[in-house]
Amino acid sequence: MIDKDDNNEQPVLRTIIADDDPLVRRLIRDTLQRADVTVIAEASTGREAVELALFYRPDVVVMDFMMPEMDGIEATRRIYEHDPSIRVVMLTGAGDEELGLRGLRAGAAGYLSKEVELDALPRALRGALEGEAAISRQLAMKLIERYRAAPTGGAGLRPVRSRLTDREWEVLDLLSTGATTDQIAKTLVLSSETVRSHLKNLYRKLEVNSREEAVRAASRLRSLSGLPA
């Protein structure tokens, strides 16, 4: 639970800014502080963003996509795997909806272009903390198109916030058809050993011990996200 500001009873929002450009960090920091958002730390690399987020446990991390050492998507994935309560809103200079989808799948609660008015950022961060999706209209339409194009039964649909990687979902979708390890490897053009490694990882993340349990767990995840099971 976040603290309250005694002066106006507005929740005190604690955030970390992660961007490799110090001028961009300053612009974002000044914008947030004018809106009474507390900036508790700044990171210039993806790896530093993960370390600071797990140390300070902020309410929200403002994450750039292009950063040295580790990109923003991988940093978001690691933060989400360790502490899903930390909201991550990704920022990028490119209006690439596919990139936004990747960020959401990695665990981001929002994805905004740096072209958006910075004055709208504090409102977007507060909304993300309250469970709202901080996404553009273009990205929302992309999600709708993906949903419409998905086959009946939910195969191919992934919850936008999931501990599983895109590849692990692909393996899981094929697993649900009854495909063997060798068949999955042939379909995805992978080695059988690589498929076994993906299976081991998704079993661990889903906390299951068999293929049947993994398929049922995937169905539950889709149902909880409002997707066809």
Side-chain angles (χ1 to χ4, degrees):
M1 180 180 292
I2 59 179
D3 298 327
K4 294 280 187 178
D5 186 326
D6 291 336
N7 293 326
N8 56 17
E9 292 300 312
Q10 186 177 31
V12 176
L13 182 61
R14 301 165 61 253
T15 187
I16 288 175
I17 301 170
D19 196 299
D20 63 331
D21 188 333
L23 292 179
V24 172
R25 291 202 306 271
R26 179 178 178 180
L27 280 173
I28 295 174
R29 180 179 68 246
D30 290 348
T31 299
L32 295 180
Q33 289 179 337
R34 283 197 300 271
D36 295 325
V37 175
T38 301
V39 178
I40 58 176
E42 297 181 18
S44 58
T45 71
R47 193 175 305 280
E48 187 179 14
V50 175
E51 293 172 353
L52 290 174
L54 298 182
F55 179 79
Y56 286 107
R57 308 285 171 168
D59 300 310
V60 184
V61 177
V62 180
M63 181 81 73
D64 186 31
F65 168 68
M66 293 294 295
M67 285 190 294
E69 295 186 17
M70 181 188 300
D71 66 43
I73 290 178
E74 180 59 28
T76 297
R77 179 177 291 111
R78 297 194 184 190
I79 292 171
Y80 183 71
E81 286 182 348
H82 284 87
D83 190 345
S85 70
I86 299 174
R87 301 290 194 267
V88 178
V89 174
M90 297 195 66
L91 292 181
T92 180
D96 187 341
E97 284 74 38
E98 287 296 328
L99 191 61
L101 290 173
R102 288 176 56 200
L104 294 176
R105 290 193 191 108
Y111 172 90
L112 299 171
S113 169
K114 289 179 182 176
E115 296 172 358
V116 72
E117 290 291 335
L118 276 182
D119 288 342
L121 184 58
R123 184 171 64 253
L125 299 188
R126 293 189 185 281
L129 187 61
E130 294 170 1
E132 299 175 5
I135 61 175
S136 67
R137 290 187 176 92
Q138 290 85 352
L139 184 54
M141 180 53 67
K142 195 76 174 181
L143 289 168
I144 291 171
E145 291 171 353
R146 286 288 182 89
Y147 187 88
R148 287 172 176 166
T152 302
L157 284 173
R158 293 95 156 103
V160 293
R161 301 189 71 194
S162 168
R163 294 176 184 269
L164 302 186
T165 65
D166 287 351
R167 180 64 83 185
E168 287 164 354
W169 273 108
E170 289 175 342
V171 170
L172 194 50
D173 285 340
L174 290 170
L175 200 67
S176 66
T177 68
T180 66
T181 299
D182 290 341
Q183 289 170 333
I184 294 173
K186 184 177 180 179
T187 301
L188 298 179
V189 195
L190 300 171
S191 70
S192 295
E193 189 59 36
T194 298
V195 172
R196 292 190 186 94
S197 177
H198 285 310
L199 286 171
K200 181 179 179 181
N201 288 335
L202 68 87
Y203 285 0
R204 174 179 55 80
K205 292 177 181 179
L206 294 175
E207 299 180 353
V208 299
N209 299 302
S210 70
R211 294 179 175 223
E212 294 76 13
E213 290 178 352
V215 171
R216 288 197 294 270
S219 179
R220 286 196 298 272
L221 283 175
R222 289 188 173 110
S223 295
L224 289 171
S225 299
L227 302 175

